[in-house]
């Protein structure tokens, strides 16, 4: 006899994630930067501090080609074992198992940073900071630089009230130049913020293509005029993506098992009568064999 008890849930959630070795990608590019030459003028008391060059590698990933399927796993559990005289009870369960597959793409990219900081705070006259150096890679890559400067300023009087003076201007190229006019900026502005008497500006620059093993020279320059100080000048280079690889991924989620029914288990036959019957049959067979031998002798 079978009877159903639908909707009874027993918690038994298990989550498993399987990973496989990545496929493809073996370049493992490494960008290196030579020790830069940092020069400055009229920043104020003290010598600027230089941090870098530091090179770091970022791992980047994205997922694609998702797929999912669910199957119901059937199982049983004996609740009451049967005896010789009574029936047993067995519960029937259904457990959903969901398998999700996808492909993970991975890349790497390198970042080069050089930071110059000054506590001089001088706002009088023209002042500047230059960073001259080289960068190289063991494989063909593009690298894009950006420059950021921050400092303070004294507002100037205009017919419309107080305003910020002309702030920092930038230059970036493959080599240092002999003289750069204060109004020269050969870079594209990314951001410019100022609040109270402080400012911060970031500019994007030229993208270089690095040939394997060849040192690429660069020169970065920031200038500020009267009423403006340069407190920091940062140069950052970010490469294009490299070392591509992909790997299949799999996630298996075993959900809560649900009680879907039950069945009776028939009683176990008594062992004693069966043994007596077997012994009796054996005795009859033995007696028959003896009689056949006795007849044969006569």
């Amino acid at each position: 006899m079978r009877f159903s008890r639908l909707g009874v849930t027993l918690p038994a959630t298990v989550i498993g994630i399987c990973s496989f070795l990545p496929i493809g990608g073996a370049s493992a590019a490494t960008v290196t930067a030579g020790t830069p030459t940092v020069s400055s003028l009229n920043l104020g008391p003290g010598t600027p501090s230089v941090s870098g060059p530091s090179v770091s590698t970022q791992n980047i990933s994205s997922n694609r080609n998702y797929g999912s399927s669910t199957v119901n796993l059937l199982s049983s559990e004996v609740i009451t074992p049967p005896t010789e005289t009574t029936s047993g009870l067995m519960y029937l369960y259904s457990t959903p198992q969901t398998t999700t597959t996808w492909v993970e793409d991975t890349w790497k990219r390198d970042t080069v940073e050089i930071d110059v900081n000054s506590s001089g705070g001088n706002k009088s006259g023209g002042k500047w900071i230059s960073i001259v150096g080289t960068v190289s890679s063991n494989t063909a890559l593009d690298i894009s630089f950006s420059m950021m400067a921050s400092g303070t300023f004294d507002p100037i009087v205009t017919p419309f009230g107080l305003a910020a003076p002309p702030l920092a201007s930038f230059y970036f190229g493959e080599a240092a130049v002999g003289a750069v006019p204060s109004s020269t900026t050969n870079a594209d502005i990314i951001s410019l913020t100022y609040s109270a008497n402080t400012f911060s500006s970031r500019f994007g620059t030229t993208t270089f293509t690095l040939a394997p093993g060849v040192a690429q020279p660069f020169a970065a320059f920031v200038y500020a005029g009267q009423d403006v100080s340069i407190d920091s000048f940062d140069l950052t280079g970010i490469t294009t993506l490299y070392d591509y690889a992909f790997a299949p991924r799999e996630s298996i989620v075993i959900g809560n098992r649900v009680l879907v029914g039950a069945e009776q288990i028939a009683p176990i036959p008594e062992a004693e009568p069966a043994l007596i019957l077997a012994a009796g049959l054996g005795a009859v067979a033995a007696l028959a064999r003896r009689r056949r031998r006795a007849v044969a002798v006569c």
Side-chain angles (χ1 to χ4, degrees):
M1 181 179 69
R2 171 181 295 187
F3 58 93
S4 297
R5 297 176 57 185
L6 301 178
V8 180
T9 302
L10 302 178
T13 302
V14 179
I15 299 178
I17 298 179
C18 299
S19 299
F20 304 91
L21 293 176
I23 302 171
S27 57
T30 301
V31 169
T32 58
T35 302
T37 299
V38 177
S39 305
S40 62
L41 177 68
N42 201 27
L43 298 180
T47 301
S49 63
V50 180
S51 175
S54 62
V55 179
S56 60
T57 299
Q58 295 82 42
N59 295 307
I60 302 170
S61 65
S62 65
N63 299 325
R64 58 184 171 88
N65 293 353
Y66 278 94
S68 181
S69 62
T70 300
V71 297
N72 290 313
L73 306 178
L74 301 179
S75 60
S76 61
E77 180 181 356
V78 175
I79 304 302
T80 304
T83 67
E84 297 175 355
T85 58
T86 62
S87 298
L89 178 63
M90 178 173 62
Y91 281 172
L92 305 175
Y93 297 97
S94 176
T95 305
Q97 176 178 292
T98 301
T99 301
T100 303
T101 59
W102 68 94
V103 175
E104 181 183 28
D105 297 309
T106 60
W107 302 267
K108 294 179 181 178
R109 71 180 177 193
D110 291 346
T111 300
V112 179
E113 294 183 286
I114 303 172
D115 303 326
V116 181
N117 293 280
S118 168
S119 58
N122 179 40
K123 300 175 187 174
S124 300
K127 72 280 301 172
W128 53 264
I129 300 174
S130 68
I131 303 174
V132 179
T134 61
V135 63
S136 60
S137 172
N138 63 6
T139 190
L141 287 175
D142 288 347
I143 186 168
S144 299
F145 283 93
S146 64
M147 300 177 290
M148 185 177 75
S150 63
T152 60
F153 63 87
D154 292 331
I156 58 176
V157 179
T158 72
F160 306 100
L162 296 178
L167 301 176
S169 56
F170 297 87
Y171 169 85
F172 187 87
E174 290 189 281
V177 294
V180 178
S182 61
S183 60
T184 296
T185 293
N186 71 333
D188 297 323
I189 188 168
I190 297 176
S191 64
L192 171 60
T193 59
Y194 56 90
S195 175
N197 292 348
T198 64
F199 76 93
S200 175
S201 55
R202 178 181 290 276
F203 283 77
T205 69
T206 305
T207 297
F208 291 143
T209 297
L210 303 180
V214 178
Q216 170 65 54
F218 64 83
F221 182 93
V222 61
Y223 172 89
Q226 182 69 22
D227 300 319
V228 180
S229 73
I230 302 175
D231 297 338
S232 68
F233 181 40
D234 304 329
L235 180 65
T236 302
I238 300 177
T239 69
T240 49
L241 301 177
Y242 67 87
D243 204 8
Y244 169 72
F246 68 92
R249 303 293 189 213
E250 181 181 82
S251 170
I252 299 176
V253 178
I254 300 177
N256 297 333
R257 62 176 185 169
V258 178
L259 179 62
V260 295
E263 284 188 353
Q264 280 188 339
I265 305 174
I268 301 174
E270 293 186 14
E272 215 171 283
L275 292 175
I276 293 174
L277 177 61
L281 293 175
V284 171
L287 182 58
R289 284 195 297 272
R290 288 196 195 99
R291 286 178 176 175
R292 283 197 298 271
R293 283 198 292 269
V295 170
V297 171
C298 294

